[in-house]
Amino acid sequence: MMKIEGIAAFVAVAEAGSISEAARRLRLSKSVVSERVAELERGLNATLLHRTTRKLTLTEDGIAFRERAVRIVSEVQAAASDLAERRGLLTGPLRIAAPVSFGRRHLGPALYPFLAKHPEIELTLDLDDRRVDAASEGYDAIVRHGTIADSRLVVWKLARSRRLLVASPDYLDRHGTPASLGELEGHRGIFYTNRGAADWRFEGPSGATIVRARLALGMNNGDMLHDAAVAGLGIALLPAFIAGPAVREGQLREIEVGLRPEPEFIYMAHPEGRRVSAKLRAIAQHLKEAFGDPPYWDPQGAPATPA
């Protein structure tokens, strides 16, 4: 007889690509996950996984079984959530991926009170600055800053997000304050490498204008970009949710060069075609209210702390 626990274990292994990662996601031991998959294979009288010391892949039977297995697990989880929601409860597992700096500074603190009110939600929050494929990696939703061009995702806007061109007072005293895009090109730039060389984009009358300053430092973490700018190493284009406190406290100065950086948003996105649970909608609404409009982290006309 097939058990839903075995099907869920197989789906997790297929999505994660390894038993150890599936065990981490399911919060089980590797031995338990392995035994559940083995029991499922015995019940089906089929081999679903090729196991070697180096990698794990799906067999032809595994590929054929996976599509329906995903639907089975999703339907069972949805049915359990529906029953709970009928009783006014938000319950069950939820996996969300988000950027590191925004997650630590704002997403976590906004989520903690919500989770305290709804202790039956089993939230796994993965913080990673890389571009996550929500559908193939098994996430219910992702939170991102900027733009999302993936047509397979349904996007909800959570908050506006200005980017600020900033440098330390010490740097500007030593190198001067640029007053135009042309002058900006001659300065030392601190760049976010995950966005590439065309990251410094400004709103122009005929579209985006891209500025490429001299590379002083490139890093893939927003908090470290902030720290490098405060240390006087160059000019950085940082989201207000990172730079806002330092601007308010005088550690960084906002630089005006005639054009504003292109506007962006904080998004939550979920895979198209997948059922959206009440708990995910509730979290999105809670985050919109917690962040505010304009968001509390923006130094222009917003309070210094969340409402």
Side-chain angles (χ1 to χ4, degrees):
M1 178 183 294
M2 287 186 294
K3 297 179 180 179
I4 187 61
E5 293 88 351
I7 299 173
F10 166 71
V11 168
V13 171
E15 289 180 341
S18 73
I19 290 176
S20 59
E21 175 61 18
R24 186 188 71 82
R25 294 182 184 183
L26 295 172
R27 287 181 286 185
L28 298 169
S29 68
K30 291 193 292 184
S31 61
V32 168
V33 173
S34 295
E35 178 53 34
R36 287 183 179 180
V37 173
E39 184 180 19
L40 175 65
E41 291 178 318
R42 289 193 295 270
L44 293 170
N45 193 28
T47 300
L48 303 177
L49 302 171
H50 280 307
R51 301 169 178 84
T52 69
T53 55
R54 291 196 164 200
K55 65 178 181 178
L56 182 150
T57 58
L58 298 181
T59 64
E60 289 187 9
D61 285 342
I63 293 171
F65 184 70
R66 176 183 178 177
E67 183 177 351
R68 291 187 179 181
V70 169
R71 290 204 299 267
I72 290 169
V73 173
S74 178
E75 286 297 323
V76 170
Q77 290 176 343
S81 293
D82 285 344
L83 288 177
E85 289 163 13
R86 286 166 65 90
R87 300 192 300 271
L89 299 174
L90 299 178
T91 184
L94 195 63
R95 291 188 70 226
I96 297 176
V100 177
S101 296
F102 185 76
R104 291 182 64 255
R105 287 171 175 256
H106 304 287
L107 184 59
L111 282 175
Y112 301 149
F114 179 89
L115 295 173
K117 292 180 182 178
H118 304 282
E120 297 302 313
I121 293 178
E122 302 166 14
L123 176 64
T124 299
L125 181 61
D126 288 340
L127 300 184
D128 198 323
D129 286 337
R130 69 182 176 85
R131 288 292 177 181
V132 173
D133 188 326
S136 66
E137 296 184 48
Y139 288 102
D140 296 288
I142 59 174
V143 173
R144 280 290 175 266
H145 166 247
T147 59
I148 297 179
D150 191 337
S151 61
R152 300 170 301 168
L153 296 175
V154 177
V155 176
W156 299 335
K157 292 178 181 178
L158 300 180
R160 290 181 287 167
S161 180
R162 285 197 313 127
R163 299 180 79 196
L164 313 178
L165 191 67
V166 294
S168 70
D170 173 66
Y171 174 87
L172 296 176
D173 288 343
R174 287 185 288 113
H175 298 277
T177 301
S180 67
L181 296 184
E183 291 181 9
L184 179 60
E185 289 180 342
H187 277 262
R188 295 168 54 85
I190 303 171
F191 292 96
Y192 185 52
T193 55
N194 283 0
R195 285 179 174 242
D199 181 36
W200 286 16
R201 301 171 64 89
F202 295 81
E203 282 188 299
S206 58
T209 298
I210 297 172
V211 174
R212 291 178 171 84
R214 292 186 292 117
L215 176 65
L217 187 62
M219 290 184 288
N220 65 351
N221 177 264
D223 284 323
M224 292 191 69
L225 292 174
H226 164 276
D227 294 347
V230 170
L233 299 183
I235 295 175
L237 185 60
L238 294 172
F241 65 75
I242 291 178
V247 170
R248 280 193 294 266
E249 294 166 11
Q251 292 177 298
L252 294 173
R253 289 181 190 163
E254 188 173 359
I255 302 167
E256 300 290 342
V257 289
L259 295 179
R260 293 185 176 183
E262 281 193 324
E264 296 184 344
F265 290 88
I266 304 296
Y267 292 97
M268 177 177 281
H270 64 85
E272 186 178 35
R274 185 177 296 181
R275 177 187 177 277
V276 180
S277 65
K279 58 181 173 286
L280 185 60
R281 292 187 184 278
I283 284 177
Q285 183 59 37
H286 169 80
L287 292 176
K288 287 184 68 173
E289 294 171 0
F291 296 154
D293 186 16
Y296 68 82
W297 56 70
D298 195 319
Q300 281 194 352
T305 57

